[in-house]
């Protein structure tokens, strides 16, 4: 009944709806209605029926995952004074800024008189009836050893730190501490990415009867999102791999025979590099024409222990030679790079002169490819396999191209050519393979 009335109300003229809410309801009823989540929520944002233990909301950005999580925690806390709830984010800062203090966080949801008190120094929320919630960082798996909880809300689990299997350890340690009350439960909200923890949970959901998965897209929440935002997302990302993952909520699968898999890249991801870099280079794969492919511009560095770090992807499309050369020069200044390594097969003299015109002090090395892109990429993929290369952050378009390179030749990724991937290969070959990387080398 609440959903039928809500649909009817939303279908009415906005002035009529406002009149009904403002003048036909008593003030106390109107206040209660405005904060009554079961009335305003879409059905997929409400807890599923049945005796579930794990509820996973795997949906696109803007779906309303955070609001669903905060409202569920609030309902649990208000109904059970003995509730002890774990709030787990990728970091303490993320848990506080999104899950607690965000626009859809716990301090903004539910009846004002029944909202919790937040003690930041203790990382604790306390409801008027005595229920409590504590903030945790998934980057510290051992912090879950000892504490016990009756419920947990884990936000953006696909963003949790995957290095050294921290994400999986944090999840497992949390589950072992869910032993208070008669029916411990955990809600996990996330945008899908092929990380080990999410892949495992989705596989378990196919066989475990006490797990429920809710899927959804950004467009499902279109009534609450700006029309300009939705139009821009459709125009910019459309049916691209990034759009399918971030907007459609689709878990991207690996291409059979690909040199890189998404699970491999996730194992090689870091949020920052603790070791200082001893050398930084910029790999450039120039486009054949301004109207053609992208210009691949990828920044990479190496540490004293020989670990490669992919630092940034500054690639761009549709730029003139002067435009992409300026982008290379800007990246050189920003990252204080030692050298630019540029493929010269598409007119070596032109590439050199254009880069020189952008910055006459730019140290440039031209490389001439004698093998295909996939053959050049194979030794770099092997470095990933042995854990010698890490991505500092996320580079969706670059990573889509890497996952489209097929063993033995061929490309099945987005775009006509893997220009970003090729720029990465040139940069890492220069840093980690030296002159054994492939090309004949011309110093400028």
């Amino acid at each position: 009944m609440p959903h039928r009335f809500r649909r009817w109300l939303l279908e009415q003229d906005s002035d009529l709806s406002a009149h009904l809410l403002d003048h036909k309801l008593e003030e106390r009823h109107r206040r209660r209605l405005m904060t009554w989540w079961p009335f305003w929520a879409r059905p997929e944002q409400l807890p599923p029926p049945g005796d579930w233990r794990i509820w996973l909301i795997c949906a696109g950005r803007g779906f309303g995952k955070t609001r669903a999580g905060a409202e569920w925690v609030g309902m649990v806390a208000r109904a059970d004074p003995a509730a002890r709830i774990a709030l787990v984010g990728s970091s303490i800062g993320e848990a506080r800024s999104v899950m607690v203090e965000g626009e859809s966080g716990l301090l903004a949801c539910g009846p004002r008189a029944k909202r919790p008190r937040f003690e930041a120094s203790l990382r604790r929320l306390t409801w008027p009836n005595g229920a409590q919630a504590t903030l945790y960082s998934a980057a510290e798996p051992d912090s879950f050893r000892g504490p016990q909880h009756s419920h947990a809300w884990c936000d953006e689990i696909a963003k949790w730190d995957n290095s050294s299997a921290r994400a999986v350890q944090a999840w497992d340690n949390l589950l072992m501490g869910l032993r208070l009350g008669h029916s411990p439960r955990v809600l996990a909200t996330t945008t899908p990415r092929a990380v080990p923890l999410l892949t495992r949970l989705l596989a378990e959901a196919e066989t475990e009867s006490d797990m429920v998965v809710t899927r959804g897209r950004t467009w499902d929440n279109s009534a609450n999102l700006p029309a300009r935002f939705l139009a821009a997302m459709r125009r910019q990302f459309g049916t691209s791999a990034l759009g399918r993952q971030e907007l459609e909520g689709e878990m991207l699968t690996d291409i059979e025979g690909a040199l890189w898999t998404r699970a491999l890249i996730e194992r090689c991801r870091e949020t920052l590099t603790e070791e200082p870099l001893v050398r930084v280079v910029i790999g450039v794969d120039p486009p054949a024409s301004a109207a053609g492919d992208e210009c691949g511009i990828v920044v990479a560095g190496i540490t004293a222990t020989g670990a490669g770090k992919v630092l940034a992807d500054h690639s761009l499309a549709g730029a003139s030679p002067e435009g992409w050369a300026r982008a290379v020069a800007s990246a050189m200044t920003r990252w204080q790079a030692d050298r630019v390594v540029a493929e010269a097969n598409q007119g070596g003299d032109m590439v050199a002169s254009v880069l020189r015109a952008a910055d006459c002090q730019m140290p440039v090395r031209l490389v001439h490819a004698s093998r295909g892109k996939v053959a050049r990429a194979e030794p770099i993929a092997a470095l990933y396999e042995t854990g010698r290369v890490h991505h500092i952050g996320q580079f969706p378009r670059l990573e889509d191209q890497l996952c489209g390179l097929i063993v033995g030749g061929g490309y099945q990724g987005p775009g006509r050519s893997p220009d970003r991937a090729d720029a990465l290969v040139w940069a890492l070959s220069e840093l980690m393979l030296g002159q054994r990387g492939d090309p004949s080398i011309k110093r400028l």
Side-chain angles (χ1 to χ4, degrees):
M1 183 64 180
H3 299 301
R4 291 170 59 186
F5 178 55
R6 172 180 173 271
R7 285 197 300 270
W8 176 85
L9 185 65
L10 293 177
E11 289 170 359
Q12 306 310 306
D13 178 85
S14 58
D15 291 337
L16 175 59
S17 298
H19 176 76
L20 291 172
L21 291 175
D22 292 340
H23 302 289
K24 296 301 182 181
L25 290 177
E26 294 181 17
E27 178 62 20
R28 62 190 179 93
H29 293 313
R30 188 181 69 84
R31 288 200 304 267
R32 183 183 178 192
L33 179 63
M34 295 305 292
T35 59
W36 187 26
W37 178 239
F39 177 80
W40 298 104
R42 304 191 310 278
E44 60 270 23
Q45 290 178 296
L46 295 173
D51 187 24
W52 54 271
R53 180 177 61 97
I54 298 174
W55 176 23
L56 172 62
I57 302 180
C58 190
R61 294 190 185 184
F63 169 84
K65 301 184 293 294
T66 302
R67 181 68 182 272
E71 292 285 0
W72 176 75
V73 168
M75 288 190 290
V76 166
R78 291 190 296 272
D80 182 5
R84 295 297 180 265
I85 307 165
L87 303 175
V88 190
S90 60
S91 67
I92 292 295
E94 290 255 339
R96 176 175 176 173
S97 64
V98 177
M99 303 172 76
V100 177
E101 298 177 333
E103 295 86 347
S104 299
L106 284 160
L107 298 183
C109 295
R112 186 173 298 276
K114 297 182 179 180
R115 291 176 185 173
R117 181 181 76 258
F118 180 42
E119 300 171 273
S121 61
L122 299 176
R123 297 182 288 121
R124 184 174 66 197
L125 294 98
T126 304
W127 276 260
N129 65 354
Q132 293 183 352
T134 305
L135 277 64
Y136 294 93
S137 169
E140 301 173 1
D142 285 343
S143 65
F144 299 100
R145 296 181 180 273
Q148 300 182 84
H149 304 97
S150 60
H151 300 80
W153 171 26
C154 302
D155 189 45
E156 290 295 349
I157 60 173
K159 276 183 61 178
W160 289 8
D161 186 358
N162 286 286
S163 60
S164 303
R166 283 195 183 95
V168 173
Q169 291 177 28
W171 177 266
D172 290 341
N173 286 344
L174 171 68
L175 291 187
M176 291 179 185
L178 279 174
R179 50 182 182 260
L180 294 181
H182 298 293
S183 182
R185 286 180 163 179
V186 56
L187 165 61
T189 51
T190 191
T191 301
R193 281 171 50 206
V195 297
L197 174 57
L198 186 54
T199 301
R200 188 187 101 180
L201 290 179
L202 290 174
E204 290 175 353
E206 296 181 358
T207 58
E208 300 291 336
S209 60
D210 58 357
M211 290 184 62
V212 178
V213 178
T214 296
R215 297 277 195 170
R217 309 176 306 153
T218 300
W219 327 115
D220 297 339
N221 197 28
S222 57
N224 299 306
L225 296 172
R228 291 184 64 181
F229 165 78
L230 295 172
M233 293 301 98
R234 289 186 187 276
R235 181 175 62 254
Q236 185 170 355
F237 299 107
T239 57
S240 66
L242 181 63
R244 287 162 50 206
Q245 173 179 285
E246 300 295 318
L247 303 175
E248 299 290 341
E250 178 182 339
M251 174 75 90
L252 300 182
T253 57
D254 293 318
I255 300 171
E256 185 176 354
L259 279 176
W260 277 266
T261 66
R262 298 186 186 278
L264 171 61
I265 292 174
E266 293 298 341
R267 288 202 305 270
C268 297
R269 194 183 306 283
E270 296 177 342
T271 54
L272 52 85
T273 177
E274 297 180 354
E275 292 183 81
L277 300 172
V278 297
R279 191 165 183 241
V280 175
V281 303
I282 299 175
V284 180
D285 182 44
S289 67
D293 302 323
E294 295 178 310
C295 178
I297 306 172
V298 174
V299 185
I302 193 168
T303 68
T305 58
K309 309 291 182 179
V310 179
L311 304 171
D313 177 12
H314 294 296
S315 305
L316 72 167
S320 65
E322 292 77 14
W324 59 255
R326 285 195 299 270
V328 173
S330 175
M332 184 110 187
T333 301
R334 175 179 174 183
W335 292 97
Q336 298 182 329
D338 300 284
R339 183 173 294 277
V340 172
V341 181
E343 182 176 333
N345 283 35
Q346 300 291 343
D349 293 338
M350 182 275 289
V351 171
S353 62
V354 167
L355 288 173
R356 288 288 186 225
D359 184 347
C360 62
Q361 301 300 317
M362 190 186 304
V364 178
R365 174 175 294 177
L366 296 183
V367 287
H368 297 267
S370 59
R371 294 182 292 167
K373 294 177 184 290
V374 174
R376 293 197 301 274
E378 287 179 349
I380 302 301
L383 295 176
Y384 279 74
E385 292 282 358
T386 57
R388 293 182 58 196
V389 178
H390 294 89
H391 287 198
I392 310 303
Q394 299 180 33
F395 314 107
R397 291 181 174 85
L398 168 62
E399 291 164 9
D400 285 346
Q401 290 190 1
L402 291 175
C403 293
L405 293 169
I406 309 301
V407 175
Y411 175 63
Q412 298 181 23
R416 297 189 305 175
S417 177
D419 307 289
R420 297 167 187 258
D422 213 27
L424 173 142
V425 168
W426 287 126
L428 290 177
S429 294
E430 167 73 13
L431 290 168
M432 306 184 74
L433 302 181
Q435 296 190 16
R436 296 179 292 119
D438 156 58
S440 58
I441 298 173
K442 179 181 179 181
R443 297 179 184 272
L444 298 181

